[in-house]
């Protein structure tokens, strides 16, 4: 029983990080109907921001999350302003291919600038720290990342559901033309939404160098899992993406431990296919 | 009779001149051939999860070519004292990136041979890439020199043009089991069980198979068989599985960033076996070792070269100077040095064969034992299938960030620290 709880706990903590990455993708997808293929690469860039702040200025990743979040907010806003804006109203494939190109650009730019070497931050405030509760081990970096995820996702949920700006976002997502007729500057909404989506993944990436090596490929798998979480949770549903993230993390860990480690991604994608087959709009889809 | 406008005439003249220039260009290409150039293609993972290792392998081949093409009297390796081979032929490298993917590696091999017209190929670090890429070369009767790929299956295909320098994972598995037996005999280590963690790839799966066979032959029980997907976001369930089985010894075939993730996850989960030995993996990567700092200590692995072997291989220092200028100061590791050896041995064979006929050179490669001061054993000799039977490696243990020689005992420079120091007592 103890082992089960430990494995589940590890899975849930990882799942909460998936949820934060997915929340960013979810808000962009839900509001703008744009699939941001560069989402995993945003995570990678945020990790580099956090790493270099730590390496050069001795700023701990726990503080760098703010800088990483702001940096990727700006990157997201720029992506909208320079690329996505021109794809609105065109077939969905155009935006998809544009962000795919951006992903390749970001990955290769980082590879060119920082080399493919793995960069590890040691001696951070959180690195290698664990909390023990009986025989249960709580890895502190993942625990903090999970709590951070909970706070950020909660804040975004509150922003969207309790503020005038959030209602404007919802209105824009439901019917852009009607929202414009009501006086909402949808172009600005899109810009900020892309920025917020980026900030979510930026915060996740900012904390990760506490426990994960940074390299140009690091975002790929996270990006893929974020897509699964968003599709499974329901396009545009922040609580859906959050719950799906935790579900994915838990299934991954339990299947990896109780069936076979190599089976963990099979279980995750199997679960995804099952959910999408039974409920194509996802668990909490609009 | 048709009348063309002067403008059209100018266009026709322009196109004709262009065509003549193109024709001249191709003529210039054949002049290049007359200028005595041998094009060699390299295929390494220059991007992707193991790019750091791939780039070092490429730098190693470039280092070897620099030695072959220019006079380096200060370097004590064959061909260093002369300029070029075959009375003035110079080697020109054409590089390709496999991304660590078999399909990309295969198509790059086809491109290099068909479009770039390279004479031979060197690569490809990942066994899973070397396998299809060398099939392409074999089909076209072109030599494929493989420095670092360790899957024993590569040299069990009875190929005629494939030559591999590194020890195989079969040799390494037997060596690892010998270490455990030696530990049990001399240190009363009481090692009975083994866990294996490996990436789910050609290299990892084959290494695991060889490990299981060697373990069975040595009387050890494999209690954990843990494959994982390379590039995973976490290795929690993998380490949990190992922790649950708690083997006395752990064999690892874990490349690149996955290795650092494995070590850190083991630390987080407060688990260590008594002894952990690695195949070709992040263990041998000096960059990862440096990044992991003290956490990398007390792990072991087979190593064909590390700077701590300088006293055994005095010729390396001068070559390493050139290598370091290409890698920003990173020294040779066991994998990259094998790629340099691959290039040097191929050049020696061309020189000895006195011909650029691939058949003649392949036969010469098989027929001779080659001097190789950059190899641990000092010699290279190939047997049927292309395996270098003189390939050697030493089992080392990281102690204070240094690769200390542990086994074979006669080559040891320090004593093994057994069991591994627990995480909390470092």
């Amino acid at each position: 029983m103890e082992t089960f709880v430990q494995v589940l706990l590890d899975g849930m903590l990882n799942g909460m990080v998936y949820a934060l990455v997915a929340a960013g993708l979810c808000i962009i997808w839900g509001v703008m109907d744009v699939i941001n293929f560069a989402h995993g690469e945003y995570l990678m860039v945020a990790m580099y921001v956090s790493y270099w702040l730590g390496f050069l200025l001795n700023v701990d990743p726990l503080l760098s999350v703010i800088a990483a979040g702001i940096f990727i907010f700006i990157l997201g806003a720029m992506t909208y302003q320079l690329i996505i804006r021109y794809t609105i109203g065109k077939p969905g494939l155009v935006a998809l291919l544009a962000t795919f190109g951006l992903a390749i650009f970001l990955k290769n730019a980082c590879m060119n600038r920082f080399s493919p070497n793995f960069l590890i931050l040691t001696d951070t405030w959180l690195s290698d720290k664990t909390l023990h509760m009986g025989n249960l081990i709580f890895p502190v970096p993942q625990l903090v990342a999970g709590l951070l995820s909970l706070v950020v996702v909660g804040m975004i949920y509150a922003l969207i559901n309790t503020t005038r700006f959030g209602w404007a976002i919802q209105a824009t997502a439901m019917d852009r033309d009607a929202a414009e007729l009501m006086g909402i500057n949808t172009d600005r909404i899109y810009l900020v939404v892309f920025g917020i989506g980026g900030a979510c993944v930026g915060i996740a990436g900012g904390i990760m160098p506490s426990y994960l090596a940074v390299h140009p490929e690091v975002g790929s798998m996270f990006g893929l899992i974020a897509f699964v979480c968003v599709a499974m949770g329901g396009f545009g549903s922040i609580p859906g993406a959050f719950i799906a993230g935790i579900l994915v993390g838990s299934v991954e860990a339990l299947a990896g431990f109780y069936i076979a480690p190599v089976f963990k991604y099979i279980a995750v994608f199997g679960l995804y296919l099952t959910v999408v087959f039974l409920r194509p709009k996802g668990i909490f889809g609009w | 009779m048709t009348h063309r406008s002067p403008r059209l005439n100018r266009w026709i003249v322009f196109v004709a001149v262009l065509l003549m220039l193109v024709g001249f260009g191709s003529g210039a290409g054949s002049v290049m051939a007359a200028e005595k150039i041998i094009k060699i293609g390299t295929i390494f993972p220059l991007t992707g999860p193991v790019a750091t290792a791939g780039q070092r392998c490429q730098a190693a081949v470039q280092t070897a070519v620099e030695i072959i093409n220019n006079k380096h009297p200060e370097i004590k390796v064959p061909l260093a004292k002369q300029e070029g081979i075959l009375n003035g032929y110079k080697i020109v490298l054409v590089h390709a990136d496999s991304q660590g993917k078999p399909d990309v590696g295969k198509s790059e091999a086809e491109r290099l041979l068909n479009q770039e017209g390279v004479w031979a190929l060197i690569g490809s670090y990942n066994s899973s890439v070397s396998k299809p890429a060398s099939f392409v070369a074999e089909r076209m009767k072109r030599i494929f020199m493989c420095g670092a790929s360790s899957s024993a299956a590569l040299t069990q295909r009875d190929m005629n043009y494939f030559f591999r320098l590194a020890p195989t994972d079969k040799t390494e598995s037997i060596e690892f089991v010998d270490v455990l037996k030696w530990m049990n005999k001399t240190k009363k280590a009481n090692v009975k069980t083994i866990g294996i963690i490996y990436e789910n790839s050609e290299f990892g799966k084959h290494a695991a198979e060889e490990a299981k066979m060697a373990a069975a032959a040595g009387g050890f029980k494999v209690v954990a068989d843990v494959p994982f997907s390379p590039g995973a976001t976490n290795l929690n369930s993998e380490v949990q599985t190992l922790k649950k089985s708690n083997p006395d010894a752990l064999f690892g075939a874990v490349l690149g960033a996955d290795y650092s993730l494995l070590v850190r996850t083991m630390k987080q989960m407060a688990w260590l076996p008594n002894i952990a030995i690695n195949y070709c993996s992040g263990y041998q990567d000096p960059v990862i070792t440096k990044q992991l700092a003290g956490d990398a200590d007390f792990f072991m692995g087979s190593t064909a070269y590390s700077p701590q072997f300088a006293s055994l291989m005095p010729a390396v220092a001068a070559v390493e100077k050139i290598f370091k200028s290409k890698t920003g100061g990173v020294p040779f590791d066991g994998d990259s040095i094998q790629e340099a050896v691959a290039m040097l041995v191929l050049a020696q064979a061309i020189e000895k064969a006195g011909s650029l006929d691939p058949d003649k050179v392949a036969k010469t490669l098989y027929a001779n034992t080659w001097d190789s001061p950059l190899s641990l054993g000092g010699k290279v000799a190939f047997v049927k299938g292309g395996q270098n039977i003189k390939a050697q490696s030493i089992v080392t243990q990281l102690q204070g960030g240094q690769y200390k020689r542990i086994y074979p005992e006669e080559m040891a420079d320090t004593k093994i620290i057994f069991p591994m120091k627990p995480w909390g007592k470092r």
Side-chain angles (χ1 to χ4, degrees), chain A residues 169-182:
Chain A
I169 290 175
Q170 287 190 47
T172 307
M174 284 172 195
D175 190 330
R176 187 187 182 191
D177 295 335
E180 275 188 354
L181 286 172
M182 294 297 114

Side-chain angles (χ1 to χ4, degrees), chain B residues 31-144:
Chain B
V31 172
M32 275 171 68
E35 276 179 5
K36 294 190 170 182
I37 280 170
I38 305 168
K39 277 183 170 182
I40 304 284
T42 71
I43 307 174
F44 291 112
L46 305 178
T47 57
V50 288
T52 177
Q55 294 195 351
R56 279 203 301 274
C57 288
Q58 182 182 284
V61 180
Q62 287 170 329
T63 303
V65 168
E66 195 165 320
I67 292 167
I68 295 161
N69 284 349
N70 303 292
K71 267 188 190 171
H72 283 279
E74 79 283 8
I75 293 176
K76 306 279 181 279
V77 302
L79 305 176
K81 288 182 180 60
Q82 65 187 64
E83 199 170 321
I85 49 175
L86 284 182
N87 295 320
Y89 270 89
K90 299 255 171 130
I91 289 168
V92 172
L93 293 174
V94 184
H95 302 295
D97 175 15
S98 71
Q99 300 169 28
K101 296 173 184 169
D103 54 329
V104 178
K106 179 178 174 280
S107 57
E108 284 297 295
E110 282 163 350
R111 181 181 69 80
L112 287 172
L113 288 165
N114 292 324
Q115 291 173 30
E116 300 286 349
V118 300
W119 185 83
L121 293 173
I122 294 186
S124 299
Y125 182 75
N126 305 85
S127 295
S128 56
V129 178
S130 294
K131 197 174 182 180
S134 58
F135 266 128
V136 174
E138 184 79 8
R139 205 173 55 224
M140 297 178 69
K141 297 190 174 179
R142 294 289 174 175
I143 290 169
F144 191 105

Side-chain angles (χ1 to χ4, degrees), chain A residues 200-219:
Chain A
C200 286
V201 73
I203 290 167
I207 194 81
M208 278 183 186
S210 295
Y211 62 96
L212 212 58
V214 187
H215 56 99
E217 299 284 334
V218 71

Side-chain angles (χ1 to χ4, degrees), chain A residues 1 8 17 25 43 64 69 96 102 106 109 121 144 148 163 198 203 206:
Chain A
M1 188 60 189
L8 187 64
V17 177
L25 188 68
L43 181 92
S64 297
L96 190 142
L102 178 66
L106 290 174
L121 269 185
V144 171
L148 197 65
T163 65
I203 290 167

Side-chain angles (χ1 to χ4, degrees), chain B residues 333-397:
Chain B
D333 58 291
D335 292 326
S336 53
I337 203 165
Q338 302 278 15
E339 303 295 349
V341 173
M343 184 66 248
L344 285 165
V345 169
L346 178 63
Q348 284 175 261
I350 294 170
E351 180 80 347
K352 188 154 187 118
S355 161
L356 282 173
D357 175 1
D359 279 314
K360 266 191 189 168
V361 177
K363 277 176 191 160
T364 309
L365 276 166
Y366 274 121
N368 293 276
T369 297
W370 306 97
D371 282 334
S372 179
L374 303 187
S375 301
L376 248 182
K379 298 279 178 193
V380 167
F382 298 104
V383 289
K384 197 169 182 297
Q387 177 58 33
N388 169 22
I389 47 159
K390 303 281 182 187
Q392 280 185 21
S393 62
I394 296 177
V395 174
T396 58
Q397 183 177 44

Side-chain angles (χ1 to χ4, degrees), chain A residues 3 6-7 10-11 14 18 51 108 111 115-123 127-130 132 137 139-142 209-213 215 217 221-222 225 252-254 256-257 261-262 264-265, chain B residues 46-53 55-56 200 225-229 231-238 240-244 255-258 260-261 264 267-270 285 287-288 291-293 295 330:
Chain A
T3 309
Q6 179 71 64
V7 172
D10 288 336
N14 277 323
Y18 294 155
Y51 173 82
N108 285 284
M111 198 169 290
S115 89
N117 282 344
F118 318 110
L119 306 171
I120 301 172
L121 269 185
T122 46
D123 296 329
S127 61
D128 305 329
K129 296 203 170 41
T130 48
H132 293 258
I137 300 170
V140 174
Q142 282 91 329
S210 295
Y211 62 96
L212 212 58
H215 56 99
E217 299 284 334
M221 198 62 188
F222 282 99
I225 289 177
E252 179 194 87
L254 292 170
F257 184 74
V262 78
K264 63 184 188 182
Y265 290 121
Chain B
L46 305 178
T47 57
V50 288
T52 177
Q55 294 195 351
R56 279 203 301 274
N200 205 7
D225 176 7
V226 185
F228 69 91
S229 307
T233 56
N234 65 79
L235 292 175
N236 291 356
S237 43
E238 287 80 356
Q240 282 287 5
T241 306
L242 289 171
K243 189 177 178 179
K244 188 185 159 205
L255 295 175
D258 295 325
S260 71
L261 184 59
R264 293 187 122 194
K267 187 176 182 183
Q268 266 186 352
M269 297 199 174
D285 189 324
V287 175
I288 293 182
Q291 300 270 4
L292 281 169
D295 292 346
V330 178

